[in-house]
Amino acid sequence: MERQRLDKRQTVGILRWLDERLDNSGHVGIYRLYCMGGTKMVLSDLRQSSEDLDFLVPSYDTFRVLSTYIVELELKRKIRFDVFLEDDLPGYYYKEFEENSKKANYQFKHLDLYFIDDVDFVITKVLAGRPKDIDDISKVLSAKNISKEELIKRFRKIRFKSEKEKELKEKFDVFLSKLYK
């Protein structure tokens, strides 16, 4: 079965379902989710739909608690999640996204939803380096005034996994040379 694309209404519905499961299971904590990728685009009305849900989580505990429900959604409802621990992004570590993020205007009992900011969004998309990410980067850059200096400043805070450092730095340099001529 092919995975469905998720619009804003469906995305919020999935988050409400997740929040209800946490409530029904007796969890008392509040779990932070940082929206990134297509999820940020959809919930910010910059895109109509996304093929998956993309989140950063700040701790292993949050990751562990949410994993059971995420697996259920992935298996039963064919919804794909990309959930990353803050210190284990693909090829790099970047903890500063938390301090740059903005609280999202959604209310849940057990979930605190945040959006990574636009500079961090662009950097994560550049480092993912997929052709489909160019449209998302273009939409954000056309709506926001992000300077080359700010991108470089944030990029310098990233710690790379040694086997990926050269590749990711090259992606970033190519992106800068194309965008900021």
Side-chain angles (χ1 to χ4, degrees):
M1 182 175 174
E2 188 173 313
R3 295 185 193 276
Q4 63 179 320
R5 291 193 63 84
L6 304 166
D7 64 18
K8 186 175 185 175
R9 182 188 57 76
Q10 292 165 315
T11 300
V12 172
I14 290 164
L15 291 169
R16 292 207 186 290
W17 179 92
L18 181 58
D19 194 52
E20 287 172 15
R21 290 304 175 278
L22 290 167
D23 198 37
N24 292 338
S25 66
H27 286 280
V28 293
I30 305 291
Y31 301 95
R32 280 191 178 198
L33 294 174
Y34 293 86
C35 300
M36 58 189 286
T39 302
K40 175 189 160 94
M41 299 285 291
V42 168
L43 294 178
S44 300
D45 297 318
L46 293 172
R47 193 199 296 164
Q48 292 297 311
S49 65
S50 180
E51 62 190 27
D52 59 11
L53 296 170
D54 304 300
F55 298 104
L56 287 163
V57 294
S59 71
Y60 180 76
D61 183 54
T62 299
F63 185 81
R64 183 186 53 76
V65 168
L66 298 178
S67 290
T68 301
Y69 307 109
I70 289 170
V71 167
E72 182 178 343
L73 284 166
E74 286 184 326
L75 294 175
K76 291 184 179 176
R77 294 182 56 191
K78 306 295 184 213
I79 296 167
R80 193 177 105 214
F81 278 78
D82 286 335
V83 179
F84 301 99
L85 283 167
E86 69 179 1
D87 59 352
D88 197 20
L89 290 155
Y92 62 99
Y93 308 98
Y94 183 63
K95 295 184 98 143
E96 284 79 6
F97 74 88
E98 279 186 77
E99 67 191 48
N100 303 321
S101 68
K102 308 282 187 279
K103 181 100 166 84
N105 195 22
Y106 294 92
Q107 299 298 314
F108 301 98
K109 187 171 182 179
H110 296 284
L111 300 174
D112 251 353
L113 206 60
Y114 288 79
F115 293 135
I116 65 170
D117 87 327
D118 296 319
V119 175
D120 291 337
F121 173 84
V122 169
I123 290 172
T124 60
K125 287 287 191 176
V126 167
L127 296 180
R130 300 169 300 219
K132 67 180 184 173
D133 292 325
I134 300 302
D135 287 340
D136 290 343
I137 292 169
S138 296
K139 285 179 185 174
V140 169
L141 291 177
S142 68
K144 309 291 179 180
N145 184 19
I146 299 175
S147 71
K148 178 180 180 179
E149 292 75 24
E150 183 62 25
L151 284 167
I152 292 170
K153 178 179 156 187
R154 297 267 184 97
F155 185 77
R156 287 183 177 151
K157 293 181 179 183
I158 293 172
R159 291 184 2 255
F160 297 97
K161 296 177 182 175
S162 60
E163 72 278 5
K164 292 295 228 170
E165 183 170 4
K166 182 179 180 196
E167 173 192 342
L168 295 175
K169 285 182 175 181
E170 285 175 2
K171 281 182 184 180
F172 187 73
D173 289 341
V174 167
F175 165 76
L176 286 180
S177 68
K178 286 181 179 179
L179 185 68
Y180 296 97
K181 296 181 181 182

